[in-house]
Amino acid sequence: MTKLLDYVLGHGESFRRARLPSLYSDFSLQRYSNPDGYAANVAVWEEVLTKAAGEGLMPPGPDGPKFLSLRMGEELLQSLETREWGKPLALGKVIDEAVSLQHMIPMKKFMSISSSIYDQNWLFRPLWPLSWGLRQLGVGDSTSAKKDLRNGQYVIVRNLEEVTSRILSESTNASTVAERIYSRGMFRKKVAQAMKLDTNVTDSDLNVILTYLSRYKGVVKFKSPETGASQLISSEDKAICSLRNLIHDLNLQVDLLSSRLTELVSEAKAAANTQLRPSALRALRSKKTIEKTLAQRLETLSLLETIYQKIEQATDQIAVARVIESSTGVLRKLNAEVGSIEKVDDLMEGLREEISRVDEVSQAVGQGGQPDSIDEQAIDEELDALMQQAQVGTDDKAAEETQKRLAGINLKVPLAVAEVVEPKEAPSAGIAPYNADEAADPVLAEDVNIIT
């Protein structure tokens, strides 16, 4: 069992055992007799083929597995063949339907069309109602198909859109113009990272992506997010790309030389430990040569990186200068629409006059609505009289409440031995019992001394 077949049969409920006889049969005959079943089988096969291609499970070509396209032919049918149900008989019809729905595009057509792939003018549109009527009359073979359309390489649009979307999303992280310039080799690695591949991308998939992005000159330059139109590749872009390639190659050389230098040091130490003088001398001579080469490479690399940084700085300055230039033009246009200073002064003076006129009208309207003048002094005197009357009434009420409270007081004094001092006119002495009525008398209360 091939990896593709194992993936297909394990594709969940869509390829459960009960459905396999129908999926492997020639269900193209059901297009008119059972359109729902026909559409369901087509959708299931298209879905599984698209996902299997995205996983790299299609039969590989000479340059390796393809992720963005599939080849319809005998090799694909054999990869899907089972002992019990044989080969899928209606797989060609699935490709036909995918092409008519713009889910797949023939490779030759994709590489040659100049318009957008979403333009429907290039699509082959079979006249299904007319074909069905002719077959009902016995004209034409109901099982015949357009072999030139079915057999061949087909670009899978959904896989292509997903990959390019990831590439474009990652390219927006570039902060400078130079970082958005790629050679073909650099772009191949970028695509492999976006597709999360351990191997290189095939030329077929790379050409499909480059064609989809409308880049045909060996260098890929993504437009800046701030610009609305695509930018043409200039000679400066190619020079930047060559510089980036050279820096990348020098970094690889430095890594290799550093690794080789470490190995030679280990060899020289091992030869010295075993008293192998000739081997130690050879390793040390090679070490000196590599050290000299490594120093030259590092010096060159440092120079190239400095140049690259200056180029990045210059490209950023160009972008800033363009923004300043456009902003200056906008300000100049706006100032021209405003006019001269004298015109602005006249406008402001006229505005002040109109505002003053509005205030005068408002004042006149307010005065016209007021009644005749009123004697404010007479109103103040009347208000004072009312307030005095209210104060007198308040004092009388307070005095009355005070008398009520005093009348309700019941003074209670504890029994004690008291000495009553009689008036001088009738002096007398003695001890008398406490008399509450006399204590309530305010005059007698003054002559009572309580002895505790």
Side-chain angles (χ1 to χ4, degrees), residues 76-330:
L76 178 60
L77 295 177
Q78 290 177 358
S79 299
L80 295 171
E81 185 177 4
T82 64
R83 294 181 179 179
E84 187 173 356
W85 300 284
K87 301 176 184 179
L89 300 179
L91 202 58
K93 186 61 66 174
V94 174
I95 301 299
D96 288 345
E97 292 293 341
V99 171
S100 66
L101 295 174
Q102 298 176 284
H103 297 168
M104 295 183 186
I105 302 175
M107 178 67 74
K108 292 182 180 179
K109 183 68 68 174
F110 178 84
M111 301 299 292
S112 62
I113 58 176
S114 58
S115 59
S116 171
I117 63 172
Y118 302 104
D119 187 3
Q120 301 181 3
N121 293 332
W122 63 269
L123 289 175
F124 169 74
R125 298 283 184 180
L127 301 178
W128 293 109
L130 179 59
S131 300
W132 177 82
L134 292 176
R135 285 194 297 270
Q136 300 302 314
L137 296 175
V139 180
D141 184 6
S142 60
T143 61
S144 63
K146 293 188 175 297
K147 301 297 182 181
D148 57 340
L149 175 62
R150 294 180 179 181
N151 294 329
Q153 196 78 17
Y154 293 87
V155 176
I156 304 174
V157 176
R158 190 174 76 178
N159 293 356
L160 176 60
E161 290 174 341
E162 291 177 356
V163 172
T164 54
S165 177
R166 289 198 295 267
I167 295 172
L168 293 174
S169 177
E170 293 179 3
S171 69
T172 57
N173 298 326
S175 58
T176 62
V177 176
E179 292 179 357
R180 289 190 290 271
I181 301 176
Y182 299 87
S183 67
R184 186 179 179 90
M186 295 170 61
F187 186 68
R188 186 190 296 271
K189 295 180 180 179
K190 185 77 172 180
V191 173
Q193 293 176 357
M195 298 175 66
K196 300 179 180 180
L197 300 179
D198 297 331
T199 59
N200 289 330
V201 180
T202 62
D203 290 336
S204 175
D205 285 347
L206 186 62
N207 291 332
V208 167
I209 294 174
L210 290 173
T211 303
Y212 183 76
L213 296 174
S214 299
R215 302 290 187 260
Y216 300 99
K217 296 184 179 181
V219 177
V220 177
K221 179 178 178 182
F222 293 105
K223 66 178 182 180
S224 173
E226 290 79 14
T227 59
S230 300
Q231 302 174 3
L232 296 178
I233 298 172
S234 62
S235 58
E236 291 81 4
D237 295 332
K238 295 181 179 180
I240 292 173
C241 186
S242 299
L243 181 59
R244 291 186 64 183
N245 276 335
L246 185 55
I247 291 174
H248 180 267
D249 293 340
L250 284 176
N251 280 319
L252 293 178
Q253 293 179 20
V254 167
D255 293 338
L256 292 175
L257 290 173
S258 299
S259 177
R260 179 57 180 162
L261 186 62
T262 302
E263 293 177 359
L264 289 174
V265 171
S266 300
E267 290 179 5
K269 289 182 179 180
N273 292 334
T274 58
Q275 302 299 320
L276 296 176
R277 183 179 178 83
S279 298
L281 288 175
R282 182 191 60 79
L284 290 176
R285 289 191 184 97
S286 300
K287 173 177 170 292
K288 290 297 182 182
T289 302
I290 291 179
E291 284 179 346
K292 183 178 179 180
T293 305
L294 180 60
Q296 293 175 351
R297 296 292 186 273
L298 289 174
E299 184 178 356
T300 304
L301 181 60
S302 177
L303 176 61
L304 294 178
E305 288 179 343
T306 301
I307 295 174
Y308 182 73
Q309 292 175 0
K310 295 299 181 181
I311 290 176
E312 285 186 328
Q313 183 179 358
T315 54
D316 292 340
Q317 290 174 351
I318 291 175
V320 172
R322 289 175 179 173
V323 172
I324 294 175
E325 181 181 2
S326 61
S327 301
T328 302
V330 171

